[in-house]
Amino acid sequence: MKRRLYLETFGCQMNVLDSELVLNQLRAMGYEQTDTRDTADVVLFNTCSVREHAEQKVWSRLGELREARQTNPTMVIGVIGCMAERDSADLFRKFPHIDILCGPGELDRLPGMVHNAVLNTGTARARQSALMGKNTRRSATLHAAEDTLESLDLSRSFSPADGTKQAYVRITRGCNKFCSYCVVPYTRGPEVHRPPQNIIDEVKKLTDGGHLEVTLLGQTVNHYHYKHPDGRTTSFADLLYQIHEATPHLPRLRFVTSFPRDFSREALQAMRDCSRICHYLHIPAQSGSDRILRMMNRGYSADQYLELIDTARQLMPDIAIASDFIVGFPTETDDEFQQTVALTAHCRFKNSFIFKYSPRPGTHAQERYPDDVPEEVKRRRNNELLALQGNICADNNAAMVGQSVEILVEGEGSLASPPTVDAGHVELAWEKKKQKHPADHKQLIGRTRGDQIVAFHADPSQIGKLLTVKITAARQMTLFAEC
Ligand code: SAH
Ligand code: SF4
Ligand code: F3S
């Protein structure tokens, strides 16, 4: 009998990819995925530690499982990912029903641990943990070829029958930047770059299997540089050219997340020169104040960031740029926050992810700087920046009405379209048209090359295809189109 596995994923794209790889391995060992958590044989949470809020979600899931475990005593519970690495001892103490803790740097050991736990539930239930812990820095000298984690990425298997057209491919693990607020260098460990041939082979395999979009992943993806044993170096720009050339049938190649200080002109030129690389950048600014950027240890000034955005736009006038911001960083004044507002207004991002500062145990900022911006002020700044970005999104989207764009259809949607103040009139026109759709048509959702979401009505057989559609209406976060 197959054992049932429930796997829930939190956090960033790295975690989504890790979950896919873990699932592949456990499927090969005879586990089947289930959506029903409380009666599963194995429950795994792949967790994120980046803000306290991300951890709270997992704490409440673990709390709920106490009861489920009593009625289903052979259930194996595992916490994997960044939170396991960051909070190991405390997690076992707070939630004694956890069987397995496995950090993101040790996931190759997870299948063995799960199997072991499942076999022992009836007899000697023993806690198991695989964490990098204090070895984090020691493994900095590891060469990717000797990195056991490489085997996890290399083991990737997929079936063209599952119909997925989008895939993530890791090019770099870990992070060396140590931005003062961030847990990632502690949870994911030091930066390790994968050998270019392994990356190219993986992208080729996915393309041959029918994938239409590949997103290269790294915490600072554009910092990629691989030193070959013979002393040669493959830079990020080299890698982009090589992947593009090796996969002529891949219509879309993109990458996230870029680090402002690490962009070479060559990498931007590679984006411009390779027609199938999407003109899309996610390049977090974090703040518009030089003093706050220094306290964050970001290594660039607001002016340097603005210059980079200008260069990218000169080379690719149609580029869509997304950013991240942290508001209410310790000691941030109203004036400094207004510099962030000004930077946002100037850059007119396609989208911004805006977060209230959350002190993370063990980070430099948490240890050195009191979290002195009141919650109320953080909330106000968050809302002000969100409102500004919302207006920019609405303007950018309204300007696209009438254009024809290429979209990759991702699936069915259920996007309501309540009129908004900004785009109410356009919205209304769309509502009227909606009545005319044939009964077998459903709302489908696709994405443009610039990562904008497009909703339209068509036959669900269009899912997984590249289509050119005409934008007929716009809302802050969504474009509406007709085939
Ligand atoms: N590697 C990426 C992003 C990592 S985390 C990069 O460097 O750009 C994603 C985002 O979470 C960050 O860009 C930052 O805006 C936010 N973030 C990270 N730590 C945070 C913290 N302690 N409090 C609030 N937001 C945080
Ligand atoms: Fe965190 Fe900074 Fe690394 Fe991004 S670059 S993962 S924010 S330490
Ligand atoms: Fe979260 Fe870890 Fe990603 S902390 S953002 S899951 S690298």
Side-chain angles (χ1 to χ4, degrees):
M1 197 189 71
K2 287 209 170 202
R3 293 202 165 91
R4 285 155 306 155
L5 166 74
Y6 176 88
L7 171 61
E8 189 174 356
T9 307
F10 303 83
C12 65
Q13 294 99 331
M14 279 288 174
N15 265 14
V16 174
L17 174 58
D18 282 340
S19 284
E20 183 190 328
L21 298 176
V22 160
L23 199 60
N24 276 341
Q25 297 228 321
L26 289 171
R27 275 208 190 113
M29 289 166 64
Y31 292 81
E32 69 180 3
Q33 208 178 358
T34 172
D35 292 335
T36 330
R37 183 186 71 189
D38 292 356
T39 52
D41 298 299
V42 178
V43 174
L44 295 179
F45 296 121
N46 192 4
T47 59
C48 173
S49 258
V50 82
R51 284 169 292 277
E52 188 179 320
H53 182 65
E55 296 200 341
Q56 279 165 350
K57 285 192 220 160
V58 177
W59 293 336
S60 75
R61 301 286 199 282
L62 287 167
E64 288 158 22
L65 275 184
R66 274 200 192 98
E67 216 174 284
R69 169 68 161 275
Q70 267 165 14
T71 38
N72 177 10
T74 58
M75 174 191 278
V76 168
I77 301 173
V79 176
I80 66 177
C82 290
M83 194 172 156
E85 185 63 51
R86 194 198 70 70
D87 201 18
S88 52
D90 257 11
L91 273 174
F92 271 148
R93 195 172 43 76
K94 280 188 258 173
F95 304 100
H97 52 303
I98 295 176
D99 299 291
I100 293 172
L101 287 179
C102 184
E106 304 287 331
L107 285 177
D108 52 312
R109 293 167 62 188
L110 183 70
M113 291 165 78
V114 168
H115 204 56
N116 199 16
V118 166
L119 294 181
N120 289 318
T121 46
T123 52
R125 192 185 268 277
R127 285 175 177 173
Q128 304 175 72
S129 58
L131 305 162
M132 287 185 302
K134 297 256 180 303
N135 295 329
T136 309
R137 301 311 300 165
R138 185 164 51 82
S139 52
T141 52
L142 256 187
H143 199 267
E146 304 136 31
D147 186 345
T148 50
L149 268 184
E150 183 64 14
S151 63
L152 195 64
D153 291 80
L154 290 175
S155 73
R156 182 171 205 160
S157 65
F158 63 90
S159 155
D162 70 15
T164 321
K165 300 295 174 189
Q166 295 164 293
Y168 292 129
V169 170
R170 189 172 355 243
I171 68 170
T172 301
R173 300 190 179 84
C175 181
N176 286 352
K177 293 287 193 264
F178 288 92
C179 302
S180 63
Y181 50 80
C182 184
V183 288
V184 175
Y186 305 96
T187 62
R188 294 255 165 198
E191 199 176 54
V192 178
H193 306 284
R194 295 185 64 203
Q197 201 52 52
N198 292 7
I199 299 169
I200 293 168
D201 288 348
E202 196 174 325
V203 180
K204 263 186 173 161
K205 194 164 80 173
L206 291 160
T207 308
D208 292 346
H211 286 79
L212 298 176
E213 182 178 284
V214 168
T215 304
L216 307 177
L217 294 186
Q219 294 301 341
T220 56
V221 71
N222 55 333
H223 193 236
Y224 178 86
H225 58 101
Y226 182 78
K227 283 211 166 53
H228 295 264
D230 64 5
R232 280 179 308 125
T233 300
T234 297
S235 69
F236 182 58
D238 297 335
L239 183 72
L240 289 179
Y241 282 117
Q242 286 171 22
I243 297 176
H244 192 256
E245 197 177 310
T247 55
H249 303 299
L250 177 67
R252 288 181 172 196
L253 178 64
R254 51 168 100 243
F255 53 87
V256 288
T257 305
S258 298
F259 191 74
R261 200 180 60 200
D262 290 333
F263 247 121
S264 66
R265 196 174 169 89
E266 289 74 31
L268 291 171
Q269 281 164 342
M271 281 180 85
R272 179 199 59 191
D273 295 346
C274 300
S275 60
R276 289 170 291 104
I277 298 182
C278 296
H279 288 180
Y280 169 75
L281 282 181
H282 181 190
I283 183 157
Q286 310 297 3
S287 169
S289 149
D290 288 345
R291 190 184 72 87
I292 296 294
L293 285 169
R294 268 196 306 278
M295 281 179 79
M296 287 178 165
N297 192 31
R298 291 288 287 182
Y300 53 85
S301 65
D303 278 349
Q304 284 169 326
Y305 182 86
L306 293 175
E307 266 170 43
L308 173 64
I309 300 299
D310 281 353
T311 310
R313 288 197 166 131
Q314 273 159 23
L315 288 170
M316 292 164 279
D318 63 342
I319 195 165
I321 301 175
S323 187
D324 293 357
F325 291 97
I326 297 177
V327 297
F329 189 80
T331 74
E332 184 189 59
T333 63
D334 275 333
D335 281 352
E336 285 164 336
F337 169 67
Q338 287 306 323
Q339 293 171 11
T340 300
V341 171
L343 182 134
T344 304
H346 179 87
C347 292
R348 302 196 63 77
F349 296 109
K350 172 243 156 198
N351 190 20
S352 291
F353 301 91
I354 303 163
F355 307 104
K356 289 181 285 181
Y357 171 69
S358 165
R360 306 310 297 134
T363 60
H364 185 91
Q366 187 266 345
E367 282 169 1
R368 302 281 178 89
Y369 315 134
D371 180 19
D372 60 358
V373 178
E375 180 59 28
E376 173 49 34
V377 176
K378 284 183 187 170
R379 196 176 318 128
R380 190 161 34 77
R381 291 179 187 168
N382 191 46
N383 290 342
E384 184 178 337
L385 203 55
L386 274 173
L388 169 63
Q389 182 59 52
N391 289 338
I392 296 170
C393 290
D395 288 352
N396 287 348
N397 281 354
M400 289 186 70
V401 174
Q403 287 180 22
S404 289
V405 292
E406 179 204 89
I407 56 167
L408 174 56
V409 188
E410 294 184 351
E412 287 184 23
S414 54
L415 289 173
S417 56
T420 62
V421 178
D422 307 301
H425 57 291
V426 205
E427 204 75 41
L428 223 64
W430 182 79
E431 284 292 340
K432 274 192 210 129
K433 286 219 173 70
K434 206 170 80 165
Q435 317 302 328
K436 293 193 220 139
H437 297 302
D440 57 344
H441 281 197
K442 294 228 160 81
Q443 188 191 57
L444 305 183
I445 300 293
R447 262 173 215 268
T448 65
R449 298 178 71 82
D451 203 44
Q452 281 114 336
I453 297 170
V454 179
F456 63 108
H457 277 74
D459 191 292
S461 63
Q462 301 296 328
I463 294 172
K465 295 195 177 143
L466 281 173
L467 296 180
T468 299
V469 296
K470 189 163 178 209
I471 306 298
T472 52
R475 195 158 71 103
Q476 226 178 59
M477 299 310 290
T478 320
L479 296 164
F480 296 94
E482 279 173 7
C483 279

